[in-house]
Amino acid sequence: MAASASSRSKAPKVAGPAEFTREQELHAYREMLLIRRFEEKAGQMYGMGLIGGFCHLYIGQEAVVVGMQMAAQEGDQIITGYRDHGHMLVCGMDPKGVMAELTGRRGGLSKGKGGSMHMFSKEKHFYGGHGIVGAQVSLGTGLAFANHYRGNKNVSMVYFGDGAANQGQVYESFNMAELWKLPAIYIIENNRYAMGTSVSRASAQSDFSKRGLSFNIPGEQVDGMDVRAVKAAGAKALAWCREGKGPYILEMQTYRYRGHSMSDPAKYRSKEEVQKMREEHDPIEQVRGRLLREKFATEDELKATDAKVRAIVAEAAEFATNDPEPDPSELWTDILL
Amino acid sequence: MAVNILMPALSPTMEQGKLAKWLKKVGDKVKSGDVLAEIETDKATMEVEAVDEGVLAAILVADGTENVAVNTPIAVITAEGESIDTVPAAAATKPAAHDGFGDKPVTVAKSTSDAPAAPIMTVPAAPEVPAGTPMVAMTVREALRDAMAEEMRADEDVFIMGEEVAEYQGAYKITQGLLQEFGARRVIDTPITEHGFAGIGVGAAMSGLKPIVEFMTFNFAMQAIDQIINSAAKTLYMSGGQMGCPIVFRGPNGAAARVGAQHSQDYAAWYSQIPGLKVVAPYTAADFKGLMKAAIRDPNPIIFLENEILYGRTFDVPKVDDFVVPIGKARIHRVGSDVTLVSWSIGMTYAIKAAEELAKEGIEAEIIDLRTIRPMDVDTIIASVQKTGRCVTVEEGWPQSGVGAEIAARVMERAFDWLDAPVARVTGKDVPMPYAANLEKLALPNVGEVIQAAKAVLYR
């Protein structure tokens, strides 16, 4: 843990991430804010009993998916674990459909049959939403296999956490991906805690960018709180994959502000640690600060963006609250084709 | 607009909790993400965060209050400069929600207490092979290879991957010649990494390819069973019908000979329990060929259970251009009137020999080759039992929660009044497979046990 904390606080900024244009900053701000507000609303609705079961919020990690998606091209696939709401929103999946899936309603993206951890969109190239830690790594490698088999130039972006990085199938997948030069980017979202277990208590090698070394997969650590750094690293990795050089590992050093899931007592870390990350490294505040400093936007313009985002989230929440539950006949559909 | 902060639930089962501590006081400015208060249950402590910006205008439930019901308003936030008077008076006493929308009643469709009945699955009847159709004698091994080769010729999206399927020509020579015909792009040797390549196969299938994943034996597929069940079988349902998984998992299943407990398990019952899978376990070479072709074309995940001892057996296979056998349809292997023997895969060898012996004693057994374990062709079993009034199941798998147990339950449910005796099961013994030749023989079913069971249900 100490290692990754100090490397972040030193803020290596080797070459400094490429600056964003005004449009890029505004885009990143809006996308990250949509995830933040959506997740806050989801947390609130969970508290009201409208969302059941497990609900894993992405608050704090927004820069990772937003930066990667800014680097990606149409056709690149995304697959992730159960902390998946941000990934779906950034793919362009309908916030109403996502929220209605969280509340288990018929207008949910999986007709209310999947829940928070299980949504998909072939049209948006989003392959889930998987509840078994690490399973998405082999599945995402399969998506890369399909790209390679078809000879297209798409890349599979495989997201998983520091916890999943200790599962055996991750390394089985790394081996085959490099052996067959599959176009997969393994994006390890290191938010420092696998549920309540810190990286230092779970990982013999806590530099996750090195986890592909014995397979000759290149990797690098990225400041996952800086959307510009994420996009720059993502662009490099995507180019590597598109050139047919095989897989690439990006360790995104990030942080989740909320608990592992909604019922997390958060006894494993101090409030000061969380507060420090929020105050000093918040991915949205960083962009907001630059927008104002560079005079890319005024306070009023940003307030207008906030209001628009809030309206989208409020509409999603209203839909998800009032949409009916699935028809009982749905119990028996979609088992086989 | 003033909004109420409600007592949140920490889990779906929480009904009330303690408001442990307010971290903000009346008059404080708050913004989204600020921690307002801490609440506790016997299990956990959680922070209540503000979702909206404004001023904490009122605290409705004091520090230290126990047993606060979920969704009780605990505080009011107003916009800056707004008076608390704008909060509807009733809002402070009845549960309401933020942003106005929550004032509407939560519309949860009233579910019926009873689940609706399962739909009836219809499977097209197996095509009759017309009399006079030329037959060619071939082994199960050749039939499987031909089926895969024909489908690979017909569909570029079909490929096969697994350990030793290419250069080695298959650990059991099932993929013989495929590498030479289709090349290394479509006949892929994997490392010894079942969990990994099963997941890669499922991912490729989700993107629309049609993988055939060979397990050197199904015993090794236990390493991969999470991907088979949690990813391949359940994703269609969890995605509301969007994300299919057209994949065939195949390989030898069950006991071979003298390979010990870890290499001798029958998985038919395991996989047959899973909604979202189809499970096939043929006996004849014709069925191996026709069902393998059907499995490759099927848009669902298929578990195709083969048997090492059957690989070398020779049967007549119809010599027709495109011989496909529908999944989910049993075959009446022998017509009889006295007792119904239900079996599949290698179990058929015991049933057939037993029927021959029984015939010598004037007992005519009807043999049903189930061919598909899931979806099970129960209609064919019931029709036979309604004729014979007696039923014996024959399998190499273990008795508890076995396929025979399932058949017995179905027959009891649907043909109880036709039964003249309880259903009898012949199964492998309830022990890990021993290595010693004599013990292994004892652990497996045998023809004598089938004859004995048939006579028992006939009271002879």
Side-chain angles (χ1 to χ4, degrees):
Chain A
M1 186 63 265
S4 73
S6 65
S7 70
R8 185 183 297 112
S9 60
K10 269 189 247 150
K13 303 271 189 293
V14 193
E19 297 301 313
F20 271 9
T21 64
R22 175 177 180 274
E23 283 65 37
Q24 287 173 320
E25 295 280 26
L26 284 170
H27 174 81
Y29 180 71
R30 188 205 163 276
E31 292 288 291
M32 289 195 287
L33 201 63
L34 175 63
I35 297 171
R36 177 75 54 95
R37 295 288 172 260
F38 183 95
E39 294 291 66
E40 286 168 350
K41 181 61 79 182
Q44 185 190 18
M45 289 173 70
Y46 190 93
M48 291 159 67
L50 286 163
I51 297 171
F54 297 119
C55 186
H56 309 89
L57 303 180
Y58 198 63
I59 295 172
Q61 301 180 214
E62 296 91 342
V64 177
V65 284
V66 170
M68 284 305 299
Q69 205 61 14
M70 287 175 78
Q73 289 178 9
E74 169 64 24
D76 292 340
Q77 300 101 338
I78 294 184
I79 189 165
T80 187
Y82 45 74
R83 198 176 303 286
D84 57 353
H85 310 161
H87 302 69
M88 295 188 277
L89 294 173
V90 87
C91 285
M93 289 162 72
D94 181 7
K96 286 197 296 195
V98 179
M99 197 69 96
E101 190 61 35
L102 300 188
T103 55
R105 305 307 170 90
R106 65 179 57 175
L109 289 173
S110 296
K111 303 186 198 166
K113 291 153 76 165
S116 163
M117 301 184 283
H118 306 293
M119 281 174 259
F120 305 81
S121 170
K122 275 213 165 151
E123 183 200 345
K124 306 286 186 190
H125 315 291
F126 180 73
Y127 285 82
H130 296 273
I132 305 298
V133 176
Q136 76 272 23
V137 181
S138 297
L139 295 170
T141 307
L143 298 172
F145 176 93
N147 292 335
H148 185 257
Y149 187 89
R150 293 187 168 112
N152 63 33
K153 286 285 172 196
N154 295 329
V155 177
S156 170
M157 297 189 286
V158 187
Y159 290 85
F160 55 105
D162 48 281
N166 293 325
Q167 286 278 24
Q169 64 182 316
V170 169
Y171 300 93
E172 299 189 27
S173 301
F174 282 3
N175 183 42
M176 285 179 276
E178 179 64 25
L179 184 67
W180 299 332
K181 300 287 180 203
L182 304 181
I185 304 182
Y186 297 107
I187 302 153
I188 304 176
E189 297 195 66
N190 176 5
N191 65 18
R192 302 204 205 175
Y193 297 93
M195 208 166 152
T197 305
S198 66
V199 165
S200 61
R201 294 200 300 124
S203 294
Q205 168 55 277
S206 60
D207 181 344
F208 292 98
S209 70
K210 293 182 180 162
R211 288 292 183 98
L213 275 187
S214 70
F215 308 99
N216 297 323
I217 303 176
E220 57 190 278
Q221 291 185 311
V222 181
D223 178 357
M225 306 301 272
D226 183 346
V227 66
R228 300 169 306 172
V230 173
K231 178 178 178 284
K236 183 174 158 191
L238 283 157
W240 175 275
C241 291
R242 275 192 240 286
E243 285 164 21
K245 292 178 178 170
Y248 205 94
I249 292 171
L250 295 175
E251 177 193 341
M252 297 292 178
Q253 298 186 321
T254 184
Y255 199 77
R256 96 174 123 68
Y257 297 172
R258 295 292 190 96
H260 162 71
S261 68
M262 291 304 296
S263 46
D264 177 348
K267 296 283 187 216
Y268 49 84
R269 61 181 182 185
S270 70
K271 286 199 173 116
E272 291 69 34
E273 179 185 306
V274 181
Q275 205 49 38
K276 193 171 156 61
M277 285 304 294
R278 291 183 114 146
E279 281 167 10
E280 297 175 12
H281 298 282
D282 186 78
I284 300 177
E285 286 304 316
Q286 288 187 44
V287 179
R288 185 181 159 81
R290 288 198 301 271
L291 280 165
L292 294 172
R293 218 165 36 243
E294 303 288 333
K295 303 206 186 318
F296 283 164
T298 64
E299 284 275 7
D300 283 349
E301 284 166 337
L302 295 184
K303 272 202 173 145
T305 303
D306 290 10
K308 274 185 202 156
V309 165
R310 271 181 201 286
I312 292 167
V313 171
E315 186 193 12
E318 179 163 6
F319 176 73
T321 304
N322 295 314
D323 192 41
E325 286 188 311
D327 190 86
S329 65
E330 281 292 338
L331 181 65
W332 294 103
T333 61
D334 306 322
I335 298 162
L336 292 170
L337 282 169
Chain B
M1 149 121 203
V3 291
N4 287 309
I5 305 295
L6 305 182
M7 181 71 173
L10 296 178
S11 72
T13 50
M14 172 177 159
E15 290 172 0
Q16 55 185 31
K18 175 182 177 183
L19 207 162
K21 193 164 118 197
W22 282 101
L23 301 172
K24 297 278 178 186
K25 54 186 190 303
V26 172
D28 282 357
K29 276 167 77 167
V30 295
K31 63 180 195 313
S32 157
D34 282 356
V35 178
L36 301 176
E38 286 178 1
I39 59 170
E40 282 175 18
T41 65
D42 53 342
K43 287 183 225 143
T45 302
M46 197 169 95
E47 294 170 341
V48 183
E49 290 189 3
V51 176
D52 301 281
E53 271 181 4
V55 175
L56 187 63
I59 287 178
L60 307 175
V61 175
D63 280 14
T65 308
E66 307 256 8
N67 305 330
V68 182
V70 164
N71 281 344
T72 306
I74 55 174
V76 180
I77 290 183
T78 56
E80 270 187 79
E82 185 188 16
S83 157
I84 189 160
D85 301 341
T86 61
V87 183
T93 54
K94 76 167 173 43
H98 300 234
D99 293 354
F101 70 84
D103 290 340
K104 294 169 202 157
V106 176
T107 54
V108 174
K110 199 89 181 144
S111 305
T112 51
S113 55
D114 293 322
I120 312 277
M121 251 185 101
T122 51
V123 177
E128 294 292 326
V129 178
T133 304
M135 293 284 175
V136 53
M138 66 169 71
T139 61
V140 166
R141 176 177 282 117
E142 292 160 341
L144 281 169
R145 194 255 334 268
D146 286 0
M148 291 191 286
E150 286 176 26
E151 293 307 301
M152 287 177 78
R153 276 173 215 134
D155 188 344
E156 177 73 15
D157 285 344
V158 179
F159 68 93
I160 179 157
M161 70 193 304
E163 294 155 10
E164 311 292 3
V165 298
E167 303 272 347
Y168 194 94
Q169 306 286 306
Y172 295 100
K173 298 286 178 281
I174 305 302
T175 51
Q176 195 151 34
L178 295 184
L179 173 68
Q180 285 64 31
E181 179 172 356
F182 299 103
R185 174 173 165 264
R186 298 179 67 195
V187 184
I188 302 152
D189 275 330
T190 65
I192 301 171
T193 181
E194 282 84 7
H195 197 180
F197 72 68
I200 287 176
V202 174
M206 284 174 177
S207 91
L209 296 180
K210 295 167 188 164
I212 304 168
V213 171
E214 175 177 310
F215 291 115
M216 195 181 288
T217 93
F218 263 94
N219 296 286
F220 309 154
M222 268 206 284
Q223 298 260 14
I225 202 163
D226 172 67
Q227 290 289 7
I228 297 172
I229 292 171
N230 274 317
S231 300
K234 295 179 185 172
T235 298
L236 183 69
Y237 196 81
M238 296 192 300
S239 66
Q242 291 176 67
M243 197 65 67
C245 187
I247 190 167
V248 178
F249 297 103
R250 54 155 289 270
N253 170 64
R258 309 292 311 280
V259 290
Q262 291 183 338
H263 288 68
S264 303
Q265 190 170 334
D266 177 357
Y267 290 89
W270 283 45
Y271 291 109
S272 87
Q273 215 210 357
I274 309 302
L277 292 181
K278 293 185 180 181
V279 183
V280 179
Y283 164 61
T284 68
D287 285 344
F288 269 105
K289 183 173 186 191
L291 282 162
M292 176 54 76
K293 284 166 70 75
I296 294 168
R297 292 179 195 185
D298 199 287
N300 299 291
I302 312 287
I303 303 293
F304 199 97
L305 302 173
E306 301 162 9
N307 186 283
E308 190 192 327
I309 291 164
L310 295 179
Y311 281 151
R313 300 278 173 97
T314 301
F315 298 83
D316 281 344
V317 176
K319 199 177 174 186
V320 293
D321 275 348
D322 193 22
F323 182 68
V324 181
V325 173
I327 293 171
K329 209 74 196 162
R331 180 177 59 85
I332 301 193
H333 184 84
R334 182 186 196 277
V335 177
S337 53
D338 298 329
V339 58
T340 301
L341 307 180
V342 186
S343 194
W344 56 93
S345 186
I346 188 140
M348 285 292 291
T349 58
Y350 307 111
I352 290 165
K353 282 194 190 123
E356 286 165 5
E357 295 299 317
L358 289 165
K360 291 175 191 164
E361 299 183 42
I363 298 168
E364 293 302 326
E366 178 146 295
I367 303 177
I368 296 176
D369 179 357
L370 214 44
R371 302 194 290 194
T372 300
I373 311 296
R374 182 189 186 92
M376 191 180 279
D377 185 0
V378 180
D379 288 349
T380 296
I381 301 172
I382 298 300
S384 178
V385 171
Q386 286 174 343
K387 184 171 71 174
T388 64
R390 298 152 207 278
C391 182
V392 174
T393 65
V394 185
E395 66 187 309
E396 282 196 350
W398 286 312
Q400 176 155 341
S401 311
V403 179
E406 175 65 20
I407 294 168
R410 302 282 193 111
V411 169
M412 188 267 292
E413 287 164 358
R414 286 185 50 190
F416 187 75
D417 291 341
W418 280 271
L419 282 176
D420 294 319
V423 176
R425 291 180 289 162
V426 176
T427 67
K429 307 305 178 292
D430 200 12
V431 298
M433 185 64 74
Y435 168 70
N438 65 327
L439 295 181
E440 183 184 65
K441 208 170 164 195
L442 288 171
L444 289 167
N446 59 53
V447 176
E449 287 172 354
V450 180
I451 294 169
Q452 202 177 11
K455 287 184 175 172
V457 298
L458 283 156
Y459 304 110
R460 285 169 62 162

